[in-house]
Amino acid sequence: MDAKASQNAGRVMDGPTNPMVTPLLTDLYQFTMAYAYWKAGKHNERAVFDLYFRKNPFGGEFTVFAGLEECIKLIANFKLTEEEVSFIHKSLPGSCEEGFLNYLREIDCSDVEVYAISEGTVVFPKVPLLRLEGPVAVVQLLETPVLNLVNFASLVTTNAARHRLVAGRSKMLFEFGLRRAQGPDGAIGASKYCYIGGFDATRWFAEYFNVAAGRLFGIPLRGTHSHAFVSSFMVDYSNFNLQSPDEILERSLCSSDGSSTCEDFVTLVHSWLSKIQWLKSLGGIFGETNQSELAAFISYALAFPNNFLALVDTYDVIRSGVPNFCAVALALSDLGYRAVGIRLDSGDLAYLSSQARKIFHTIEKELGVPGFGKMIITASNDLNEETLDALRKQGHEVDCFGIGTYLVTCYAQAALGCVFKLVEINNQPRIKLSEDVSKVSIPCKKRCYRLYGKEGYSLVDIMTGENEPCPKVGERILCRHPFSESKRAYVVPKRVEELLKCYWPGKSGRSSEYPSSPWKGKVREELPALKDIRDHCIKQLVQMRPDHIRRLNPTPYKVSVSANLYDFIHFLWLNEAPVGELQ
C-alpha cells in the first residue's frame, strides 16, 4: 500500500474531539525509541501491547472503561504533517538521519489492530482494556496519547457512576463542573464522561451544563439563572414601586394555548402572594418577602414561562425565596403553564428541602392546584459522594443534585494510573518483572472472558492464551490468581461473554499472515452512540453483585487466568529472572 492509499485508508472517520490530540501529543522518548528501533532495523517487528490499570480508584472495587471512541478517532487519523516532521527533526539529536524522517512521513495506523472492551463496561485491574498490535515503532508512538485519552475518561466516568450509585436511580444528577474543571478540555471531557457514568441531561434543568459539550455530543441543554440575576433587580422600597417600568418593562403574558392574554402578570403574581401569605395552615411563616427577588422571578418567568425554575437562596429561602417562587408559579398555572421548581445552593439542604416540600403540598391542598406538591427541588453547593450519602441517611426532599468540583476534578483521586506494556513481539511472549508483584505484567496475546453465575451477576473475569479453547457454559473451569498459588476456584458459568472485540482491524491482509488467529474474518465493531454507551454502563452496574460496587468495604472482584496461562506466566518468570550466585 503506497503512502497516499495508506493515508486515505486511515481517514475513515472524524478526528478526535480535541484538535490538540495529534501524533505530537506524546513524550519525546517515544520518538527517540522509534528512531532507535528504525536504526536497528526493528521498527516493523510485530508487537503486542496491553493497556490496563493495576488498582481501582476511589477506594472502590470497580472501574468504568471510557475513552475508546477518542482512541479510535486518533488511530484512524494518525498521520504526521510536514510541519510536525520538521519539528521532530529539530527536537531530536543532530545525528538523526534523513531516512528516518522519510519513514515518519509515511507512517500511519493502517497496519495496526485494536482490540478493546466495549466503552462503558465495568472493568477490573490487570484485564486489558485495549490491546494494540502492529509495527513496534508505530504502536510505541500511540502509547502516550491513548493513555492520556483513557486515564481521565475512565476516572471521571467511574466517579460519576459512584455518585449515581449513592444517589439512587430515582434522583436526577447534573454535572455543574465547567467553571471548576482543569481547563477547557477537562470540562468538555467531564461533561461527556459524566453523562456516560449515569448523569442526566433532561428538559428539566441544566443551568451549568456545558453548552460546547451539548453541541459536540448532542446532550440536551436548558438554562435557568444565577444569584447575579436575582440581585441585579432593585426596587424602590420607599414607594414599594415594584411595577416601575424601568424594572419590568413588559408585564403581559399570553396563555399557554394562546387563547387569551394576561395584561398585567405582575398584579396577578401579587394577588397570589397575598393569598399564600395568609394561609393559616402555613402558620404565618411568610412576612414581607424580598420584592427585588420577586421582580427577578417575574421577569424570568415572563421570559421562560415553560421552563421557570428559580434559585431561591439569594436572600432567605423559607421567608422569601419559596413564597416568591410559589406566587409566580401559581400565576403561571392560571395561564396554563407549569413551573419546574426551585434550586437550593446553600444552607441545610435536608431541612430546607423538607420545608419547601411541605409548603408545596400545603398549597396544593389548600388552594386546589393539582401537582403543585411535586415541584422539582434541586440542590447544589459543593456536593460529593459523602454529602449525598449523608443526605440520604438524614432524609430529604431533593429531586435533583447538581455536582461540580468534586466530580469533574476527581477530587478524591488524581489519576487512574493506566499502564501500557509490551506482552509479545514477533510471536514471542514478553514479561515485565518487578520486586513489587502488582507490577509484574501478564505476558502474551490473550483473550478475556467474563463468567456469569445463575443469578445473572458476573462472577469472575478470566484471561486465557490466544489459542486456548473458549470457556463453555456449564463447563467446570479452573480459575487461578495470576500470582498466588493458593488462590484458585472452579467456576461453572451460566453465561460466557468475550470482552475484547476488534475495533480497528488494520490491513485486510493481517489474517492471512496469522491464519490461526481466532479473530480471522471478524467484522470491525462499530462505535456506538453516546446514549447507547451510557445505557450499556447502567446495565453493567445492574449486572454487578451489590457487594462489589457498594461504597463502604466493597468485596474485591476476582480476576483470574486459566491454568495453562498461570503455568506459562511462572515458567517465563523463572526463565527471565536473573539467577543469583552466593560467594
Side-chain angles (χ1 to χ4, degrees), residues 157-196:
T157 303
T158 305
N159 201 20
R162 289 176 63 86
H163 281 78
R164 166 53 71 194
L165 289 170
V166 174
R169 291 303 317 162
S170 64
K171 304 300 179 183
M172 288 192 286
L173 297 179
F174 298 102
E175 177 263 306
F176 275 20
L178 175 59
R179 62 187 63 189
R180 304 280 173 81
Q182 288 99 333
D185 187 49
I188 295 290
S191 291
K192 176 180 181 180
Y193 297 117
C194 287
Y195 182 65
I196 289 176

Side-chain angles (χ1 to χ4, degrees), residues 2-3 6-7 79-80 85 101-110:
D2 59 38
S6 175
Q7 182 174 353
K79 191 69 180 174
L80 286 156
V85 172
L101 302 179
N102 291 331
Y103 164 73
L104 291 180
R105 292 182 179 99
E106 295 174 357
I107 62 172
D108 59 20
C109 291
S110 60

Side-chain angles (χ1 to χ4, degrees), residues 120-132:
T121 299
V122 174
V123 290
F124 303 96
K126 291 293 185 179
V127 178
L129 309 180
L130 289 123
R131 189 180 80 215
L132 275 69

Side-chain angles (χ1 to χ4, degrees), residues 263-545:
E263 297 297 340
D264 195 342
F265 186 69
V266 175
T267 298
L268 179 60
V269 170
H270 267 281
S271 67
W272 275 114
L273 184 59
S274 296
K275 290 178 184 177
I276 62 177
Q277 280 176 324
W278 299 109
L279 281 177
K280 291 182 180 180
S281 52
L282 293 177
I285 60 174
F286 306 147
E288 183 65 39
T289 63
N290 185 290
Q291 297 296 290
S292 300
E293 179 183 62
L294 184 59
F297 288 0
I298 291 172
S299 294
Y300 202 80
L302 287 167
F304 300 103
N306 284 305
N307 295 284
F308 177 58
L309 189 147
L311 179 58
V312 296
D313 70 335
T314 305
Y315 301 111
D316 187 291
V317 173
I318 300 302
R319 292 189 293 181
S320 182
V322 170
N324 279 339
F325 162 78
C326 291
V328 177
L330 289 164
L332 286 172
S333 179
D334 279 352
L335 299 177
Y337 299 100
R338 178 175 170 79
V340 175
I342 63 172
R343 178 162 75 94
L344 304 169
D345 192 46
S346 60
D348 185 333
L349 299 178
Y351 171 76
L352 292 173
S353 64
S354 297
Q355 289 300 110
R357 181 70 68 204
K358 288 178 182 177
I359 294 169
F360 294 159
H361 280 306
T362 298
I363 288 175
E364 176 175 358
K365 181 180 179 180
E366 295 290 322
L367 300 178
V369 185
F372 203 90
K374 296 181 180 179
M375 286 289 176
I376 298 293
I377 299 176
T378 299
S380 49
N381 188 30
D382 279 342
L383 303 179
N384 55 30
E385 268 190 74
E386 287 73 21
T387 51
L388 291 182
D389 191 44
L391 284 168
R392 180 178 58 82
K393 291 173 180 176
Q394 293 170 37
H396 65 88
E397 288 292 333
V398 177
D399 302 292
C400 312
F401 293 100
I403 307 171
T405 305
Y406 289 91
L407 176 68
V408 302
T409 66
C410 294
Y411 190 89
Q413 180 168 327
L416 177 58
C418 289
V419 294
F420 193 80
K421 297 299 178 184
L422 177 71
V423 296
E424 186 175 293
I425 190 161
N426 292 335
N427 291 321
Q428 297 301 309
R430 309 307 299 146
I431 190 171
K432 187 264 180 189
L433 299 180
S434 172
E435 293 182 5
D436 182 350
V437 175
S438 69
K439 291 191 174 183
V440 176
S441 64
I442 297 177
C444 78
K445 192 186 298 186
K446 298 172 287 294
R447 300 180 76 175
C448 306
Y449 304 92
R450 183 158 292 172
L451 310 183
Y452 292 84
K454 60 184 179 180
E455 294 180 344
Y457 295 128
S458 56
L459 297 175
V460 62
D461 285 5
I462 184 170
M463 292 173 272
T464 72
E466 182 191 26
N467 294 312
E468 287 190 59
C470 171
K472 294 181 175 59
V473 171
E475 178 183 76
R476 196 164 178 251
I477 302 162
L478 178 60
C479 299
R480 303 203 62 173
H481 187 284
F483 308 118
S484 178
E485 185 176 11
S486 63
K487 293 181 178 180
R488 54 188 181 169
Y490 283 107
V491 176
V492 180
K494 297 299 181 184
R495 181 163 74 90
V496 176
E497 176 187 7
E498 183 158 12
L499 295 176
L500 290 173
K501 302 172 184 177
C502 181
Y503 280 91
W504 186 256
K507 290 179 181 177
S508 58
R510 289 303 316 156
S511 57
S512 62
E513 294 180 41
Y514 294 88
S516 63
S517 171
W519 281 278
K520 182 179 179 182
K522 288 279 184 82
V523 177
R524 168 186 164 190
E525 293 285 329
E526 293 298 324
L527 294 170
L530 187 64
K531 185 181 183 302
D532 294 334
I533 298 173
R534 181 180 185 272
D535 291 343
H536 175 65
C537 175
I538 293 169
K539 183 179 178 182
Q540 282 277 300
L541 292 169
V542 171
Q543 291 176 339
M544 295 305 301
R545 216 169 66 197

Side-chain angles (χ1 to χ4, degrees), residues 55-63 155 158-159 162 385-386 412-416 547-556:
K55 187 177 181 180
N56 288 303
F58 309 117
E61 289 296 341
F62 77 94
T63 301
L155 187 71
T158 305
N159 201 20
R162 289 176 63 86
E385 268 190 74
E386 287 73 21
Q413 180 168 327
L416 177 58
D547 59 308
H548 290 310
I549 59 175
R550 66 190 176 200
R551 183 168 175 267
L552 296 177
N553 302 315
T555 304

